[in-house]
Amino acid sequence: MLNSPLSPSSTELVISVLDMVLSEGKPLDRAYSVHFSGLQLAPSEQARITKVAGDILRRLNLYCFLSDVKPEEMSRLGTRLINAWHLFHELELPKLQYSLPLVEAEYFTRLEEAKKQPALWDGCPEWLDEMGQAQLGEAWAKERAALNTQPKRFIRTNLLKCTREELAKKLRNEQVQTQEVEGVDTALEVTSDSALFRTESFKKGWFEQQDAGSQLVAAAVDAKPGMRVIDACAGAGGKTLSIASQMKGKGRLLAMDVEQWKLDSLKQRARRANADNIETRIIASSKTIKRLKLSADRVLLDVPCSGLGVLKRNPDAKWRDTPERLPVLVELQKHILQSYSRMVKVGGMLVYATCSIMPEENRNQVDAFLAENDHFKFIEDENISVADSGFDGFYLAKLERIAE
């Protein structure tokens, strides 16, 4: 994790970020944006801060248990939790002017207690552990452990502008170290703490930051030049841009979403990437979908989901209201799958995807859909395991429309 303690200023930033997430309910990336804005931090120091804050949130209940600090006490007792974090990682305690004492004998007693509780040791809340055991059985333990690890940094080569080899060479000249990712032809893993978005390579649109698992989902669409393709839950367009790269700028790629600001962001990214065949369209009502009935060779439905496959990258989600939201999300997934599948033409393919590892949102949804829609045929599906792949966790299923 780190080989030296946090500086006093970095410690304050970590505590402030955590307090904004835990007390104000802000998303972690938003908290980083607020606290880093206007600061002239070296990329290496910013990386240290995000690593520590992310690790604490991935195992928040463990560090709270070890330090005897409640999440809502972060602004008042945060230094004690930070001291426990340093002890856990066998680092010297940070040299803080004001620091709440941590009784080390009590800490080590609690440490031994925590080792006997696997879910606590893995930083897993009780609701998630119960759900994981119920849905994944014996496979859950290794997924749970993998979800508390630090995520790797992956980027996707924009094949509209360069090859993966050319990108790696150009980044190397910009002091960014990378390595190829086996099994994902467009992916590079960034192995240095580098300011990716300050590079000329990024400014020129040679790459996008995208998890390797997400790249596999986009690749499953298998879009060909000249096709008509719809990304119906496009968001800010990470997978849309990947599909545009597959299409080599030829054909029509329609990116749709219910939120205009996400599509506006996609337009900017598409200009930088030279993805000229992307058209954006807001989903204003069900009529938007009906007008596109039986029109697409490929439809990607990357549906809203619990995000339980990307918890190591978005660890704050573990401490939100996911148990209450999940039934609502499952119903929304069913609606989207039933309604948006109408856009696939006969002989065309539907790709259903989530960033969840839970069968309730994945194969169960696909099976229920197929039971009610005999004009679709199951082709194949894939579970991208967090533990087995080292990527974020995803699910994808390919379905072919065989009749109207």
Side-chain angles (χ1 to χ4, degrees), residues 14 49 93 101 119 125 134 157 222 273 285 334 353 372 394:
V14 168
I49 292 166
L93 297 185
T157 309
D222 192 29
S285 70
K334 288 179 181 177
E372 297 179 1
F394 288 90

Side-chain angles (χ1 to χ4, degrees), residues 129-147:
D129 193 46
E130 291 176 355
M131 180 188 298
Q133 290 185 36
Q135 296 204 30
L136 294 175
E138 293 181 0
W140 168 240
K142 68 177 185 178
E143 294 296 316
R144 182 184 64 204
L147 286 170

Side-chain angles (χ1 to χ4, degrees), residues 160-228:
L160 294 171
K161 292 200 169 187
C162 62
T163 65
R164 181 165 67 171
E165 293 73 20
E166 289 169 340
L167 175 60
K169 182 179 179 180
K170 185 171 179 64
L171 286 172
R172 189 160 57 247
N173 292 336
E174 296 187 78
Q175 312 307 311
V176 179
Q177 302 303 313
T178 64
Q179 62 185 27
E180 293 185 356
V181 179
E182 184 178 356
V184 191
D185 295 342
T186 52
L188 288 171
E189 180 187 349
V190 179
T191 56
S192 57
D193 288 333
S194 307
L196 278 177
F197 302 123
R198 298 179 192 175
T199 62
E200 282 300 308
S201 301
F202 177 73
K203 293 173 184 176
K204 291 180 177 179
W206 281 37
F207 72 86
E208 288 281 344
Q209 185 162 280
Q210 185 178 18
D211 182 77
S214 179
Q215 294 182 48
L216 286 174
V217 172
V221 175
D222 192 29
K224 307 295 186 186
M227 280 185 171
R228 181 185 176 101

Side-chain angles (χ1 to χ4, degrees), residues 221 227-232 256 288-301 336-352 369 375-377 379 397-404:
V221 175
M227 280 185 171
R228 181 185 176 101
V229 181
I230 298 175
D231 184 354
M256 307 173 72
T288 308
I289 305 300
K290 289 177 181 177
R291 293 190 190 106
L292 294 166
K293 183 179 180 181
L294 298 171
S295 67
D297 298 287
R298 301 281 189 272
V299 172
L300 172 61
L301 299 182
I336 291 174
L337 190 49
Q338 186 67 42
S339 177
Y340 291 19
S341 61
R342 300 172 189 169
M343 296 186 290
V344 184
K345 71 181 186 182
V346 176
M349 186 170 70
L350 171 70
V351 177
Y352 173 84
F369 171 77
H375 49 287
F376 275 90
K377 178 180 73 175
I379 303 174
K398 299 180 183 180
L399 310 177
E400 180 187 357
R401 179 185 276 276
I402 54 176
E404 290 189 21

Side-chain angles (χ1 to χ4, degrees), residues 333-334 337-338 350 352 359-374 376-381 383 395-399:
Q333 292 160 4
K334 288 179 181 177
L337 190 49
Q338 186 67 42
L350 171 70
Y352 173 84
E360 182 179 8
E361 300 179 84
N362 297 338
R363 185 56 187 266
N364 292 4
Q365 289 281 35
V366 171
D367 287 344
F369 171 77
L370 290 171
E372 297 179 1
N373 296 274
D374 58 7
F376 275 90
K377 178 180 73 175
F378 179 81
I379 303 174
E380 62 179 346
D381 68 351
N383 292 285
Y395 173 81
L396 66 92
K398 299 180 183 180
L399 310 177

